[in-house]
Amino acid sequence: MIRTLMVRGLLLGLLAGLVAGGFAFVFGEPQIDSAIALEEAATAAGSEPEPAGHSQEISRPVQKAGLFLATGLYGLAIGGVFALVYAGLRGRVGPRNEGGLALSAAGMAFVAIILVPFLKYPANPPAVGDPATINGRTFLYVVMVLVGLAATAIAVAVARRITAGSWQRWIGAVAAFLVPVIAAWVVLPTVNEVPEGFPASLLWEFRVASLGTQLVFWAAFGVLFGWVCDRAARRAEALAAA
């Protein structure tokens, strides 16, 4: 069964990655082009001695084509890991039906892995950020991802321990999730390397597109994985009843 789930996760992750790539191409690439144009204009004017995070070694058409390769590989990796986690969750936590469990797991993964770190350290376009601090910024982002995953595990454990009604379980789970997340938001340092004069609308649109790409991926993957799992479960029940 695990092998079947793995193959299913890999294939559907690839498909969801390509869907997310299409979203990023339409809504994210224009903001990247605008940010690069600003960076090149500033460099040409001599206001910045070195480009901030952008290289001309790879042309933009190649980068845009590589976007689908990147999101496809991302989907493959996430799909495989998700399938393993899903196999461990079946029958233990969450909804009993396959589709509901897949959507719930995908939603929790989006919140823990994407939304929690994004709210503390949102994505920036190529013209924003000092290359000298990239290692530190990456480390802080990974820490927030780990905090989100730990908070999710704590919330699930608390919800399983509460034997009262569903509202009490939800309140307990949300509180258990928010406590470590808010603590991390307060304790970890803030990173703000947006240069003065950078268009706020462009920064906002880029961040919305970045978050939207992840939302599209996880929504598409959760729906596809749940739908396929539901169909497989119904087929198995029909064969067992025959």
Side-chain angles (χ1 to χ4, degrees):
M1 184 61 185
I2 293 180
R3 180 181 177 182
T4 301
L5 288 173
M6 277 290 295
V7 173
R8 189 179 297 165
L10 290 171
L11 293 177
L12 296 178
L14 174 61
L15 179 57
L18 295 176
V19 172
F23 180 92
F25 184 84
V26 173
F27 295 99
E29 287 299 313
Q31 280 71 49
I32 294 178
D33 288 336
S34 298
I36 291 175
L38 286 173
E39 181 185 26
E40 291 175 343
T43 303
S47 59
E48 293 187 18
E50 294 290 340
H54 171 59
S55 172
Q56 294 292 344
E57 294 179 0
I58 302 176
S59 66
R60 285 296 294 147
V62 173
Q63 290 177 359
K64 291 180 179 181
L67 169 67
F68 291 93
L69 176 61
T71 56
L73 292 176
Y74 173 82
L76 277 173
I78 292 295
V81 174
F82 183 90
L84 292 176
V85 175
Y86 181 85
L89 294 177
R90 293 176 74 223
R92 294 180 176 86
V93 297
R96 297 299 178 182
N97 64 304
E98 303 279 354
L101 177 59
L103 284 174
S104 298
M108 288 189 297
F110 170 78
V111 172
I113 301 172
I114 305 301
L115 188 60
V116 166
F118 184 90
L119 292 177
K120 179 65 176 180
Y121 303 114
N124 289 325
V128 176
D130 182 0
T133 65
I134 187 170
N135 290 334
R137 286 183 281 123
T138 301
F139 174 76
L140 291 173
Y141 188 89
V142 171
V143 169
M144 281 306 307
V145 171
L146 295 176
V147 169
L149 291 172
T152 300
I154 294 171
V156 172
V158 169
R160 294 187 67 184
R161 286 181 173 273
I162 297 176
T163 58
S166 59
W167 278 108
Q168 288 85 342
R169 285 198 298 272
W170 272 104
I171 293 173
V174 171
F177 177 84
L178 289 178
V179 168
V181 168
I182 293 176
W185 283 343
V186 172
V187 171
L188 291 177
T190 299
V191 177
N192 184 12
E193 296 183 346
V194 180
E196 186 177 352
F198 191 88
S201 60
L202 176 58
L203 182 65
W204 170 255
E205 290 168 0
F206 177 84
R207 289 176 173 176
V208 169
S210 298
L211 185 61
T213 298
Q214 291 290 345
L215 179 60
V216 167
F217 170 79
W218 284 103
F221 180 70
V223 170
L224 289 170
F225 195 89
W227 176 67
V228 172
C229 287
D230 264 343
R231 287 194 61 186
R234 287 195 298 268
R235 189 182 304 116
E237 290 174 0
L239 291 175

